[in-house]
Amino acid sequence: MMVDFVLNGRAVSCDAPANILLLDLLRSELGVLSVKRGCEQGECGACTVLLGGRPVNSCMILAARVEGRSVTTIEGLRDEPIMVALRKAFMEGGAVQCGFCTPGMLISAYALLRDNPSPTPHEAKTAIEGNICRCTGYALPLEAILKAAEMTPAE
Amino acid sequence: MRPLPGFNLHRPTSLGEALELMGALKSVKPIAGGTDLLPLMRDRAITVEDIVDIRGLHELKGITVEDGTLRIGALTTLTEVLESPLVAEKASVLREAVGHIGSVQTRNQGTLAGNICNASPAADSAPALMVIGAQARVSSARGVRRVPVEELFAGPKMNSLGKDELVTEILIPELPSGSGAAFEKLGRRRGITLAVVNAAAYLAMDGKKCVDARIALGAIAATPIRLPEVEAAYKGRELTPEAIEESSRACYSLVNPVDDVRASADYRREMACVLVKRAIVKAHARAGGGQ
């Protein structure tokens, strides 16, 4: 069936069989490779995207059901001041090792700082509870998120 | 990568249309958030020919209060429950429990009604809903009925709904003043984890005397359970620390949990006592602490 939705601010229209997941539509049909295939059971968060502005696991969503909705990946947030600050803090703080979890973690961190510009360490932890990282032990990503909050200019 | 098996996706735009489809189709499941359904389908634990997407049913959205009853539409996400001022005011124990379900991503997608209909014995919302007397409004082309939340659980991952039935909302009665409720969960870690044991308690107090008590435990049996023996032991009593200690210990012999990868049966029994005690102490304080 045809599915029309907004991807990173641009209208897209694709043919998606009923059993195709948003994750597969993004990666295989639309070439959005920042969205990673991890556990495929909604546990690891590597495939996190914003759906209607909220972080969700794209492996847990039928592509046909995003009809009329807005999907955002890190590609669509490149120039957003919060994402610029997060990227800088992650790079300078060494919060990335293998990098597989990073796009999903950045999406979760972006949604946190957008809604809560000055999170507590606990709030930052909760925000990325659904993003599993097997390299860093979470300490440096958490530091980077709190650092990015300080760097982001208040609006 | 293992693709989902094929199925027909139906997208009705009204409840009537959805119920007609559910009645007419032979092998059918409704989908709301899909966070429990899709993994089961990919693992072939569930096979269906038809899926009815209920997201287009606007009558299933929103949280309202009518004649004191809190009504939570079946499309309400777990995040919406967490963020609702009405839930915080009228059913804070539900808010407390929902905060423990899955991750941010799961809560943004999954629904409260789905957490119940999935019928996991470890569903964190279940004990909380059970102790505050929540019911589900269940519709089909045949009619409408109200079912207490505990009766929706038939066995592990099995609900008691007919294949043509749909939960349309969760109904929570107004709680009397002088009452309080609390939820406790033990997991292997804090975030995104299944409960080893979870528990909820509700107490209504008249001065120092307990006039009503409800206790529920999850992840301890094939379905979440109430503990009528322990509830009866509290009623009419003054809840001294000794009385709470003694009656929560009674849980040990009343439950018969399983050994599994998350915990041994004996550990679950011990922890059931501990969580019931913690939930009772907290609910007691919230009910005014017998002042």
Side-chain angles (χ1 to χ4, degrees):
Chain A
M1 54 184 79
M2 289 306 289
V3 50
D4 297 296
F5 66 105
V6 174
L7 174 61
N8 294 329
R10 285 169 50 193
V12 293
S13 183
C14 311
D15 190 16
N19 63 339
I20 289 298
L21 299 168
L22 178 59
L23 166 68
D24 294 308
L25 186 77
L26 291 171
R27 286 185 61 86
S28 308
E29 298 296 319
L30 296 163
V32 183
L33 299 179
S34 72
V35 182
K36 302 301 182 197
R37 180 190 314 284
C39 69
E40 294 186 89
Q41 47 188 339
E43 299 273 345
C44 81
C47 68
T48 304
V49 301
L50 297 178
L51 178 61
R54 300 266 199 184
V56 294
N57 292 314
S58 60
C59 71
M60 288 289 99
I61 293 172
L62 297 176
R65 299 184 79 213
V66 302
E67 170 73 31
R69 306 187 73 189
S70 147
V71 176
T72 308
T73 67
I74 54 169
E75 287 85 347
L77 299 169
R78 207 178 301 254
D79 302 321
E80 289 288 321
I82 291 171
M83 189 56 87
V84 172
L86 278 167
R87 206 160 52 219
K88 189 165 189 284
F90 267 65
M91 286 193 294
E92 289 177 359
V96 174
Q97 286 187 36
C98 87
F100 195 80
C101 73
T102 309
M105 204 177 271
L106 287 173
I107 289 281
S108 293
Y110 171 85
L112 168 72
L113 298 186
R114 178 199 60 198
D115 297 341
N116 178 2
S118 307
T120 62
H122 180 74
E123 287 166 338
K125 231 181 214 180
T126 304
I128 60 164
E129 71 182 341
N131 295 90
I132 291 178
C133 173
R134 294 278 99 129
C135 308
T136 64
Y138 305 99
L140 293 175
L142 279 169
E143 263 176 41
I145 292 167
L146 297 171
K147 192 79 194 277
E150 288 168 21
M151 283 156 52
T152 308
E155 288 188 23
Chain B
M1 157 186 184
R2 192 174 184 202
L4 289 175
F7 53 85
N8 305 307
L9 184 64
H10 304 269
R11 286 191 279 195
T13 54
S14 72
L15 179 59
E17 194 190 337
L19 296 180
E20 222 166 277
L21 276 166
M22 302 276 294
L25 296 165
K26 286 202 172 54
S27 158
V28 61
K29 282 266 178 201
I31 189 169
T35 54
D36 283 313
L37 181 61
L38 295 184
L40 290 172
M41 284 172 63
R42 210 201 20 251
D43 295 345
R44 273 66 176 173
I46 285 181
T47 48
V48 284
E49 284 167 25
D50 294 275
I51 290 192
V52 174
D53 181 352
I54 61 170
R55 200 186 324 261
L57 313 185
H58 295 283
E59 51 269 68
L60 270 51
K61 284 178 188 157
I63 302 175
T64 54
V65 175
E66 249 173 69
D67 301 330
T69 300
L70 182 65
R71 311 172 73 110
I72 302 178
L75 285 171
T76 307
T77 64
L78 297 163
T79 297
E80 285 163 352
V81 171
L82 269 184
E83 293 178 349
S84 162
L86 282 176
V87 173
E89 184 199 328
K90 305 251 173 210
S92 61
V93 66
L94 176 62
R95 188 180 186 282
E96 196 170 28
V98 165
H100 288 274
I101 300 174
S103 62
V104 174
Q105 289 92 322
T106 310
R107 294 193 295 271
N108 282 339
Q109 182 73 8
T111 61
L112 178 64
N115 189 238
I116 295 303
C117 292
N118 181 54
S120 163
D124 287 323
S125 70
L129 287 169
M130 283 160 63
V131 299
I132 56 176
Q135 296 187 319
R137 193 179 151 93
V138 176
S139 295
S140 70
R142 295 174 285 141
V144 178
R145 61 188 182 113
R146 279 188 180 205
V147 185
V149 162
E150 52 252 62
E151 289 175 21
L152 281 178
F153 288 80
K157 295 261 175 178
M158 268 192 304
N159 65 42
S160 62
L161 298 170
K163 69 106 196 153
D164 62 337
E165 288 186 313
L166 197 61
V167 169
T168 57
E169 56 185 354
I170 304 288
L171 306 165
I172 298 169
E174 191 162 22
L175 302 176
S177 63
S179 69
F183 174 83
E184 290 285 331
K185 172 175 178 175
L186 175 73
R188 296 287 295 270
R189 54 184 184 267
R190 291 275 182 80
I192 190 165
T193 188
L194 284 173
V196 169
V197 182
N198 56 21
Y202 163 88
L203 292 175
M205 305 297 294
D206 180 8
K208 291 194 168 192
K209 206 169 84 181
C210 169
V211 290
D212 198 4
R214 290 178 225 141
I215 297 160
L217 279 168
I220 201 96
T223 66
I225 54 168
R226 289 270 298 272
L227 292 173
E229 298 89 342
V230 182
E231 293 172 3
Y234 284 117
K235 278 179 211 169
R237 269 179 95 172
E238 191 180 323
L239 296 188
T240 60
E242 296 75 28
I244 292 175
E245 178 71 37
E246 180 200 327
S247 49
S248 57
R249 281 309 303 174
C251 297
Y252 190 89
S253 54
L254 294 170
V255 296
N256 190 19
V258 293
D259 279 304
D260 71 8
V261 290
R262 277 174 281 142
S264 68
D266 201 48
Y267 181 66
R268 280 201 164 93
R269 254 190 221 109
E270 286 286 350
M271 289 304 108
C273 302
V274 170
L275 295 196
V276 164
K277 182 176 150 186
R278 285 182 189 163
I280 287 284
V281 167
K282 230 197 254 179
H284 188 233
R286 288 175 184 173
Q291 299 309 302

